[in-house]
Structures are given as C-alpha cells and as structure tokens.
Amino acid sequence: MRKAIYRSYCSVVVAAGLAFFSAGAAQSQTAPFIAKAEQAYMIDAETGTVLLSQNEDQSFPPASLAKLMTVEVVLDALSKAQVTPETAYPVSEYAWRTGGAPSRTSTMFAALKSSVSINDLLTGIIVQNANDGCIIIAEGMAGSDPAFAKRMTARAGELGMNRSRFTNSTGLPDPGNQTTARDMVRLAQHLHDTYPDRYGLFTKPDFEWNRIFQRNKNTLLGSGIDGLGLGFAEGSGFAAVVSAEREGRRVYLALSGITDDKTRQEEARRVVEWGLTAFEKRHLFSKDEVVGSVSVYGGDASYVDLSPKEDVSVLVPVNNPERISGRIVYRWPLNAPLDVGAIAGTLKVFSGERLLREVPLYTKGSVGKGSLTQNAAGALKELLLFWL
C-alpha cells in the first residue's frame, strides 16, 4: 500500500502566489449559480477558466449534436487536402430514405440519384441540420455510415474527447451514440479556433437546396451567440452547444437534460449572459515566471524551478469571489537528467473547491546527473519520504 502511495502524483502548494491569490478572498459567499440542466459545462475561451460545471463528464446521447463531429471530420479532411469543396458524392436510396424527404426528419431535400458537392453538403448539415447530407458524406468518404462513425469516434479521441462514441453520422437514435458536456465544449472550441474560414457557416441565416428554402435551424443565434447546434433525444431531453462572443470575450457552453425547448432557449441565453457579465479577469503568473520548485532525484541539484509557457489568468466572480489557490501536481520523484523546457508538472488553480483551470509547467533550468555522493543523499531522502 505504501508503494502505491509513493508512486502516485504529489502536489505542492504554490507558495509564491498565495499572497496574491488570497487577496481576492470573499467576506461572504453567495449561493452557487445552477443551470436548469442535468449536464452543463462552460469555459472562458481566453483563459480556459471553468465558469460552470454540473455533471460535465456524465454521458448523454448527443442526438443532432453528433453532426458537429461529422462536420469536424469533413473539415479536417478538407484541411489535409483529402477532399476538395467541389468533391461530389451521389445520393443513395439509403441516404434518401433514412435522412431525406421520406424520413420526415431534418433534411436538405437532396434528390435521389443526384450528386451533391461537399461544399453544399456542409452547408446543408450546418444550416438545415440535414440528416441526408450527413449520410451522403458518410457513404462518400467512408463507404458506409457505420464506417464513417468509426472515423468520427477515432477523431474524437485525437481531440481529447475521450468519453464520446458515435455509431452514425446523424445522431439519429442509437444507444451507442454517447458524449458529455465537457467533450462538446472541447469540440466547440476546436471548431471555432481551427476552421475560422468555415465557422461563418454556423451563422448563415438560410440555405436553399432542390428549390426548397429553409432558415437556420439554430434558434439561439443572435445577441452574441454565433453557434453551434441543438439536439433532442427521447429520455434525456433537450441539449445545446453554444459559442458566444461579446466585446472581445468568448465563452463555450454545453447543456443537456433540459425538459423542453422553451426552457432550453431561456436557459442557454441566461447562462451565456451570466458567463459574459459576472466575471472579471485576474492575472496570476506571467509567461516564464517561476511558479514554484519541485524535488529532483539523482541530479546535481535537489530542486528545479517550474514555469508556464503562457501568461496564466483566470476569471473570478465580480461579486463575492471565493479564495483562489494554486497547487503544482507532478509525478514524484522527478529523475535527472532534465533538460530546460521539459514538461514536469501541472499548475491547478482552484476557486474554493472548484477547479478553474490546469496549466502545464516546464523546467526553468536543466539538472544534470548527480555525483555518487549526491545520488546516495537523494536515495536516502527518497527512502525517508517513502516511510513517512
């Protein structure tokens, strides 16, 4: 049992920043902000601060939110020149019946046995929530909808969406389709930051295809909200993935498990408004500033300083902020030699008990191999700590 503890991650209080962190301590606390949703997660785009977290890692069926993953796979393929915007795919009978006019689901009304370009299919998926557009792309790019869904799941893993699984490109009911609020926020930020030339499609007001005019299905658009999608699944309720910007500040929000569409509309706007107005920025550390020191085993120095490669700021509530604290977490012991700039730990910043953000920390200097005497002293220190 001691060995298991010994090889676990160690944490060190960030002493250098505590005086600054404590300066924001509140005299009194207010009740926490709670969204009317089973699952909710919101972050600030610039600082990565977690503004809201409710069951953010609890799985739910994405329904039409799965289409955001379909869009990402296509945009990734475009960015790698695996396809072009003009690449056209045929409309199969399966795509037409399952997602087209006969399906009575959201559709772009692609005509059976016609061919549609990726550019138009993407527009239909994003603006019209088109199920037929998803299946046409899936069959064209991967041979079948299930094969494309495997590609979606693999790509989600590459993006760090480790709790998301997809069994079709549309999000149509299937127990294998699962995601989380945290994963959806990660996807939202990725879509915005990685594909700026295509992101404008999410605010396109309307699209006409096959002589049928339809307005954008995302009824949340406006008042700073410029994406991304809505979903509904029997048994888990209404969901939304939202990206919103105002006066240079952007937030990403995912909600699920809402009882009805009216509540979804009201709650998404209420949470976004709170996220954009109820916080102020607090600078903690500058790029390359020493955050703290951690012990090193087997080196010509016993400790090494750690620093971030970016400025570290967080958002704190304007009224009654909780005490901000920091902690360095690293795998103990660090073994020499260590190069300058080696990743060696993580700075975790908390507001009260709530984790606000995590920032990688890197070695400020190098540590060479120690002498025999230094190694013996280090081994003794490690042995003593093992038995503490």
Side-chain angles (χ1 to χ4, degrees):
M1 183 172 178
R2 281 185 179 275
K3 189 173 183 181
I5 296 171
Y6 173 66
R7 293 300 177 190
S8 67
Y9 281 85
C10 291
S11 61
V12 177
V13 172
V14 184
L18 281 177
F20 177 84
F21 291 170
S22 298
Q27 298 301 314
S28 61
Q29 298 298 322
T30 57
F33 184 93
I34 299 175
K36 297 175 184 177
E38 287 295 319
Q39 299 88 14
Y41 191 64
M42 180 167 62
I43 66 168
D44 171 67
E46 180 188 1
T47 66
T49 302
V50 177
L51 306 178
L52 177 66
S53 55
Q54 293 175 206
N55 301 316
E56 66 272 21
D57 292 321
Q58 186 180 85
S59 295
F60 63 87
S64 285
L65 299 182
K67 294 180 174 73
L68 297 177
M69 194 70 237
T70 295
V71 168
E72 199 290 326
V73 172
V74 178
L75 294 179
D76 180 57
L78 285 168
S79 71
K80 295 173 179 174
Q82 295 171 347
V83 294
T84 71
E86 292 74 34
T87 300
Y89 295 127
V91 182
S92 70
E93 183 166 348
Y94 175 77
W96 179 69
R97 289 194 180 280
T98 307
S103 71
R104 298 183 181 275
T105 64
S106 296
T107 177
M108 64 185 289
F109 296 99
L112 177 62
K113 296 183 180 179
S114 66
S115 290
V116 187
S117 71
I118 281 182
N119 196 55
D120 290 327
L121 290 168
L122 266 179
T123 306
I125 294 168
I126 292 172
V127 177
Q128 299 169 339
N129 219 15
N131 288 314
D132 51 353
C134 291
I135 299 171
I136 294 164
I137 275 183
E139 292 179 334
M141 289 183 64
S144 70
D145 202 29
F148 186 83
K150 290 181 180 179
R151 185 166 172 178
M152 292 166 65
T153 299
R155 180 61 178 160
E158 293 173 7
L159 298 179
M161 299 167 59
N162 298 319
R163 296 176 182 267
S164 293
R165 301 289 183 272
F166 301 96
T167 53
N168 56 46
S169 61
T170 58
L172 288 171
D174 188 296
N177 281 326
Q178 294 291 317
T179 191
T180 67
R182 188 195 299 270
D183 279 2
M184 281 289 110
V185 164
R186 186 183 293 270
L187 178 58
Q189 185 165 27
H190 171 77
L191 287 168
H192 176 270
D193 294 348
T194 309
Y195 310 110
D197 56 327
R198 290 281 180 174
Y199 187 78
L201 283 175
F202 288 100
T203 58
K204 186 176 172 62
D206 50 62
F207 183 55
E208 182 175 346
W209 187 257
N210 198 18
R211 292 178 292 184
I212 298 173
F213 176 89
Q214 296 184 77
R215 297 195 180 279
N216 197 306
K217 300 287 187 182
N218 189 349
T219 52
L220 285 174
L221 294 175
S223 300
I225 296 176
D226 54 21
L228 285 151
L230 306 176
F232 169 75
E234 291 286 348
S236 68
F238 292 78
V241 174
V242 177
S243 176
E245 188 271 340
R246 185 184 302 166
E247 297 178 357
R249 271 203 60 216
R250 180 172 292 275
V251 295
Y252 299 102
L253 166 68
L255 298 169
S256 183
I258 300 175
T259 55
D260 56 77
D261 181 51
K262 181 175 183 292
T263 302
R264 174 175 59 184
Q265 298 286 325
E266 295 171 349
E267 196 62 3
R269 291 191 171 93
R270 182 179 79 95
V271 176
V272 165
E273 183 66 21
W274 174 76
L276 289 172
T277 60
F279 296 86
E280 61 185 1
K281 188 175 179 180
R282 182 80 56 82
H283 177 76
L284 303 182
F285 294 99
S286 298
K287 175 183 177 182
D288 298 327
E289 180 181 348
V290 174
V291 172
S293 299
V294 295
S295 61
V296 179
Y297 171 70
D300 56 11
S302 298
Y303 294 89
V304 65
D305 291 336
L306 302 184
S307 61
K309 288 189 175 180
E310 59 182 273
D311 288 347
V312 180
S313 299
V314 295
L315 295 183
V316 296
V318 174
N319 297 316
N320 295 319
E322 292 182 306
R323 180 177 180 274
I324 305 299
S325 61
R327 191 171 291 273
I328 296 172
V329 179
Y330 69 105
R331 187 63 179 264
W332 181 85
L334 290 178
N335 292 305
L338 292 169
D339 295 327
V340 176
I343 186 165
T346 302
L347 171 64
K348 292 191 174 185
V349 182
F350 296 86
S351 175
E353 297 297 319
R354 184 167 60 90
L355 179 64
L356 293 181
R357 66 175 302 193
E358 300 179 67
V359 182
L361 295 177
Y362 302 83
T363 52
K364 187 74 172 173
S366 61
V367 179
K369 275 286 189 182
S371 65
L372 200 58
T373 301
Q374 289 170 322
N375 288 345
L380 178 61
K381 180 178 73 172
E382 187 177 2
L383 185 63
L384 290 172
L385 287 172
F386 175 78
W387 290 106
L388 288 176

